[in-house]
Amino acid sequence: IDVIYNPFYAYSNSVVSVWLSKSKWDDDLLFINSDILLEPALLKNIINVKARFTVLVKQGEKNGYRVMVKLGRVKKMSMDIPDKMAFGVYAGVTKIRRIACTYFGNLVEEWLAAGRWNDWYEDVVSKIASRSRDVKLILIGPLFWHEIDTPEDLTELKKVLKK
């Protein structure tokens, strides 16, 4: 596990953090947002997928970074997808196969060159999904996953874990 520090985080977002990690891209990549707690089996599920790009999705959920699906693949990810078009929400885990790293890295660099320093790296993945059928999804299903965005989320998580 390599932890990359982004000294520009106060003025940027995760797309810059991902770009700063680029020197480590010598194998498959697994990006995990730091505000989630999940069962290890979910990581095993996503690691074993052979697709070029794979994201973890909580089906039926509407609160968060929404995912639109078409023909079994991710078509778009955005906060702006209407409820009726949202298949679920992105669950904070993305796998990128080594064979797709150069393509992904080039898009991230284009993103930054265009001044989009305050975007999420998931926006780049969404762009890939809109251009192709390259982004596969893995469903959380009955396995445990919880995102912690607010103090209320943390309180809820503590209640769930006590059970």
Side-chain angles (χ1 to χ4, degrees):
I1 296 174
D2 289 311
V3 177
I4 306 298
Y5 173 71
N6 177 357
F8 311 107
Y9 192 76
Y11 311 102
S12 66
N13 211 318
S14 65
V15 71
V16 172
S17 299
V18 163
W19 178 75
L20 288 170
S21 74
K22 200 170 172 201
S23 67
K24 306 286 186 180
W25 297 2
D26 56 1
D27 203 345
D28 292 354
L29 304 175
L30 187 64
F31 294 119
I32 305 172
N33 291 350
S34 62
D35 63 349
I36 61 169
L37 188 63
L38 56 110
E39 282 190 57
L42 289 168
L43 293 179
K44 196 177 291 185
N45 290 349
I46 200 167
I47 286 169
N48 290 328
V49 174
K50 300 297 182 204
R52 290 167 29 110
F53 300 91
T54 308
V55 295
L56 191 61
V57 174
K58 178 73 173 176
Q59 184 177 2
E61 187 79 24
K62 304 292 185 204
N63 188 20
Y65 195 72
R66 296 173 179 190
V67 177
M68 187 167 49
V69 174
K70 183 177 180 183
L71 301 173
R73 297 287 178 149
V74 175
K75 188 62 183 163
K76 181 178 181 180
M77 299 188 329
S78 170
M79 294 295 282
D80 301 326
I81 295 172
D83 279 356
K84 64 183 178 195
M85 297 178 76
F87 178 81
V89 295
Y90 170 70
V93 181
T94 299
K95 178 188 173 193
I96 302 173
R97 295 272 316 274
R98 182 178 183 208
I99 60 171
C101 286
T102 299
Y103 175 57
F104 178 70
N106 289 342
L107 285 177
V108 168
E109 287 186 3
E110 287 175 22
W111 216 260
L112 296 176
R116 297 185 70 176
W117 288 62
N118 204 28
D119 287 352
W120 296 315
Y121 76 86
E122 294 92 343
D123 296 332
V124 178
V125 176
S126 181
K127 183 68 167 182
I128 293 165
S130 72
R131 291 179 172 178
S132 68
R133 291 182 32 102
D134 278 350
V135 183
K136 181 175 173 50
L137 61 132
I138 294 292
L139 298 177
I140 290 173
L143 296 175
F144 180 78
W145 168 84
H146 193 89
E147 184 174 29
I148 308 160
D149 284 333
T150 65
E152 294 79 21
D153 290 343
L154 182 58
T155 300
E156 178 63 27
L157 174 62
K158 288 177 181 179
K159 289 178 188 175
V160 169
L161 292 177
K162 280 183 182 179
K163 292 179 185 176

